[in-house]
Amino acid sequence: MLNIPILHATSFLASFLLFSIELILAKKLLPIYGGSFFVWGACVVFYQAVLLAGYAFAHVAVSRLGMERYRFGYLLILCWPLMGFPGKDLPPMQSGGCWPVTISIFGQLFSKIGPAFFLLSTVSMVLQAWMVASFGGKKENPYGLYASSNAGSFLALWSYPFFFERYWALPEQLLAWRVGYGILILLSVWIFATFKVVARGAGAAAAAPAPVPGRQAWRWLVLGMAGSVLFLS
């Protein structure tokens, strides 16, 4: 029997790392640029943009390549950030000089944590597709992984000001984050060895979902955007 809890643990950890690095890097940038409004505002725009890019990449890659092939690429992409942070210490940060503050912060974030953040943004979608492909469309519901992902996000946001920021200095926070990323790689290798992809047509075929009307899709999109805008404001 396949070990479903490992999928939930991996989805949880990926989201925890994704949201905690947002706060760690914003705090690290504050002394350089000053003014939490500019720093946090620029960070949030960067994070949302990369998150959307990660979702789009995961959707297209899994759809085009199929999970059987993409899971090999997933492991390679997972190790890609190790060429910089978190494989190495976070490089020193300094002001962008004559560049506008927002552009400078974008450059800092992209060069320092861009690859790791992008990869983490794809994990939840990839694991859901992986579960479906492993069971051949049988009864297992992949959307429970979305709940685990949300739980990791909320825990990262709530634990940072009350625990990590209070008791750990920035170097200790970054070290703990790097250890967490190493654990994520180990869990992903375990999943790779455990969850084999079922060939198409094997097992019970999943019923084709009914197409969503364009008007309904736009309504969902606008409602999701409204919630995000209210939260960020």
Side-chain angles (χ1 to χ4, degrees):
M1 182 176 180
L2 296 180
N3 191 353
I4 302 300
I6 190 178
L7 290 173
H8 288 274
T10 306
S11 184
F12 176 92
L13 177 60
S15 292
F16 184 91
L17 294 174
L18 184 72
F19 278 77
S20 59
I21 197 61
E22 295 181 7
L23 304 173
I24 294 173
L25 263 292
K27 183 176 177 63
K28 193 171 181 63
L29 288 168
L30 277 174
I32 301 173
Y33 293 96
S36 59
F37 171 79
F38 287 105
V39 173
W40 182 242
C43 286
V44 165
V45 172
F46 174 86
Y47 297 144
Q48 292 293 320
V50 177
L51 194 64
L52 181 61
Y55 287 166
F57 172 82
H59 173 72
V60 172
V62 173
S63 299
R64 296 287 180 85
L65 298 177
M67 199 63 237
E68 186 173 6
R69 285 187 291 176
Y70 180 73
R71 62 195 185 105
F72 292 94
Y74 169 73
L75 287 184
L76 293 176
I77 298 174
L78 190 65
C79 295
W80 168 39
L82 296 180
M83 299 176 64
F85 179 82
K88 303 176 183 177
D89 289 333
L90 191 70
M93 294 186 172
Q94 52 188 345
S95 176
C98 62
W99 288 97
V101 172
T102 301
I103 301 300
S104 178
I105 292 175
F106 280 7
Q108 295 269 22
L109 294 173
F110 183 81
S111 62
K112 303 300 191 298
I113 64 165
F117 195 91
F118 177 82
L119 180 279
L120 289 171
S121 69
T122 70
V123 172
S124 180
M125 289 185 63
V126 169
L127 292 182
Q128 291 179 42
W130 205 333
M131 175 184 280
V132 171
S134 297
F135 284 93
K138 293 183 181 178
K139 63 179 181 178
E140 302 299 336
N141 183 0
Y143 298 110
L145 297 178
Y146 187 67
S148 298
S149 174
N150 280 345
S153 304
F154 280 117
L155 183 61
L157 293 174
W158 281 101
S159 64
Y160 188 79
F162 296 109
F163 179 77
F164 293 102
E165 186 178 31
R166 183 172 183 179
Y167 296 108
W168 289 4
L170 276 174
E172 295 171 325
Q173 295 173 27
L174 288 169
L175 177 60
W177 196 93
R178 295 169 67 190
V179 171
Y181 194 88
I183 295 174
L184 179 69
I185 292 178
L186 294 178
L187 289 174
S188 298
V189 172
W190 188 359
I191 292 172
F192 183 86
T194 304
F195 286 78
K196 306 300 182 182
V197 174
V198 177
R200 290 186 178 182
V212 178
R215 188 174 181 180
Q216 181 67 34
W218 279 106
R219 184 181 294 117
W220 290 344
L221 179 65
V222 172
L223 288 173
M225 290 172 58
S228 296
V229 169
L230 288 172
F231 178 74
L232 295 177
S233 64

